[in-house]
């Protein structure tokens, strides 16, 4: 019997062209795929020989508890299966990949981590915003807006204007983020941007300043959004890419 | 005549398996590739039909000035060429990709950005360290150690113990980083790690604490190193992956 193996794989921000070569190979070879929300159908279709199970969130709540997921991974690996645990973005950026890695280690299961393109960097890039830029910023901090309780200590810990701030999944809590940053002494004029649906055909970019970020029209609440606060947000391109109907660069060239 | 086109492409941390699907496609289609240091020969070999020019650093100094590089890109694009500007990691993380993007925009050249896997997240992952981890840290900051002058304001701006700190290209300045963090009030016991040669066969991982980070044996100075400071550094695996002779996960499975 083959020895089972678990690959913790990052699916990137959406566009299947931003999967890594190794991620594609693992999906093609997989017996079983356990996948989260934010994974595109085209990405999942690569694993057309595999049994595929959704273990992400439904209506904001986990469909399956985290320890149930790790139990499923361990059980399947002990049956000799090649398993892909597929997560949006990168498995180690707010993906709970670390917890699954520790559980697999403790159970003595062979595993690997296949990093993915994180929206923390790629969503701003899709809007023409570099997270670092000579003369503007030499560091960036990444925080999740999904966990409202975690925002306050992090945003309170950083001196105003010193770094680019990237908030993932922060559309719903952006009013709180703005309040925290203004209270911490950030200038209301600090450039800010929201990148929604980055690297999907639904890209929508809003740019403005910190003081009007909370009231920015953010559309429906379902689409994940990445918020950028800092001087680099002003580099967003109004007509971001070479062709107006091309939502993102990879799609642009692929469509030619 | 075809319209010229510039792709600002991230080559990822080293392993060609961590190139994106789009990056591979652009390399195969390219007429000309301008590449930096830290790009592996196997990656460059994908562009075997292209003229390839090294424009990275020699002995720590740029071989070619930045404005010369952008002039080369613009001139080649105006001749109708498909150009890949290939950078280690991600083009928008300390890659000066933002400057090249702005120059291309100003010149009216069609361009795109193809994000790459950044060592900021993937080098720690190669050592089994997640940059975020529930219960340990809910944010991370990324700063370049290459620019010593930029370290002080960033490291001084962050309250001790609140986020994971990732320092890219920081082997040479790590004594200064340790001094700044201790002066800022970070505990000398804070876990720390150095990941060198991540995602190459030369992976070497050191783990310890902040107080002995400066004196850690870091081997020769040529290999790029990523430093992690924070509780997550303690999650590094002593025998990181399933097989001792497998330097990194992607290589592990590929070798089977």
């Amino acid at each position: 019997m083959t020895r089972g193996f678990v690959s913790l794989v990052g699916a990137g921000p959406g566009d299947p062209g931003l999967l890594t070569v190794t991620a594609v190979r693992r999906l093609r070879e997989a017996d079983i795929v356990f996948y989260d929300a934010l994974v595109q159908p085209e990405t999942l279709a690569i694993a057309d020989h595999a049994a595929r199970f959704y273990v992400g969130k439904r209506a904001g709540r986990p469909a399956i508890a985290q320890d149930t997921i790790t139990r499923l991974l361990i059980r399947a690996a002990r049956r000799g299966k090649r398993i892909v645990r597929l997560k949006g973005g990168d498995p180690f950026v707010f993906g709970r990949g670390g917890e699954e890695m520790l559980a697999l280690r403790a159970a003595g299961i062979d595993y690997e981590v296949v990093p993915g393109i994180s929206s923390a960097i790629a969503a701003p890039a899709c809007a023409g915003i570099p997270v670092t830029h000579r003369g503007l910023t030499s560091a960036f901090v990444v925080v999740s807006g999904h966990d409202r309780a975690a925002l306050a200590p992090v945003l309170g810990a950083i001196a105003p204007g010193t770094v680019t701030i990237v908030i993932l999944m922060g559309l719903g809590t952006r009013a709180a983020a703005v309040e925290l940053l203004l209270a911490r002494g950030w200038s209301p004029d600090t450039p800010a941007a929201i990148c929604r649906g980055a690297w999907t055909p639904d890209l929508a970019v809003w740019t403005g300043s910190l003081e009007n970020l909370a009231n920015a029209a953010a559309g429906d609440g379902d689409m994940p959004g990445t918020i950028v606060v800092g001087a680099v947000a002003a580099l967003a391109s109004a007509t971001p890419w070479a062709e107006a109907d091309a939502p993102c660069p990879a799609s642009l060239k692929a469509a030619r």
Side-chain angles (χ1 to χ4, degrees), chain A:
Chain A
M1 197 181 91
T2 332
R3 206 172 148 90
F5 191 86
V6 178
S7 299
L8 301 170
V9 176
D15 184 332
L18 291 185
L19 284 167
T20 64
V21 171
T22 300
V24 171
R25 196 178 301 146
R26 295 297 180 272
L27 285 168
R28 286 203 181 122
E29 295 168 351
D31 298 310
I32 307 179
V33 177
F34 295 101
Y35 66 99
D36 279 351
L38 305 185
V39 171
Q40 300 286 308
E42 299 86 336
T43 300
L44 210 55
I46 296 170
D48 54 358
H49 296 298
R52 286 161 280 178
F53 299 100
Y54 180 72
V55 294
K57 287 174 181 164
R58 295 192 196 276
R61 286 195 219 122
I64 300 182
Q66 185 60 45
D67 59 352
T68 307
I69 296 174
T70 53
R71 252 198 331 264
L72 288 169
L73 295 175
I74 291 165
R75 194 194 303 166
R78 287 195 173 137
R79 285 189 194 138
K81 303 296 185 191
R82 288 163 301 183
I83 300 140
V84 166
R85 176 71 178 98
L86 189 65
K87 295 161 178 290
D90 181 277
F92 277 176
V93 176
F94 307 117
R96 307 194 70 170
E99 289 162 79
E100 295 175 12
M101 172 186 74
L102 293 183
L104 294 168
R105 257 189 221 171
I109 304 291
D110 285 356
Y111 71 93
E112 64 174 354
V113 178
V114 181
I117 299 285
S118 173
S119 289
I121 298 163
C126 193
I129 301 171
V131 287
T132 69
H133 192 80
R134 189 169 284 238
L136 291 184
T137 178
S138 60
F140 62 101
V141 63
V142 180
V143 62
S144 168
H146 183 258
D147 186 354
R148 185 189 284 261
L151 267 179
V154 173
L155 297 184
I158 300 160
T162 51
V163 300
T164 302
I165 292 186
V166 179
I167 307 175
L168 294 177
M169 300 165 286
L171 285 190
T173 57
R174 67 190 192 282
V178 169
E179 201 178 312
L180 288 161
L181 290 170
L182 292 176
R184 185 71 180 77
W186 287 68
S187 164
D189 296 332
T190 309
I194 302 174
C195 318
R196 287 171 60 236
W199 302 93
T200 76
D202 301 314
L203 172 70
V205 180
W206 172 89
T207 56
S209 63
L210 184 57
E211 67 185 330
N212 50 21
L213 175 62
N215 296 318
D220 65 76
D222 273 2
M223 219 190 295
T226 301
I227 293 170
V228 182
V229 177
V232 289
L235 300 182
S237 180
T239 52
W241 306 104
E243 293 172 17
D245 60 342
C248 267
S251 323
L252 165 68
K253 195 65 181 294
R256 287 190 170 186

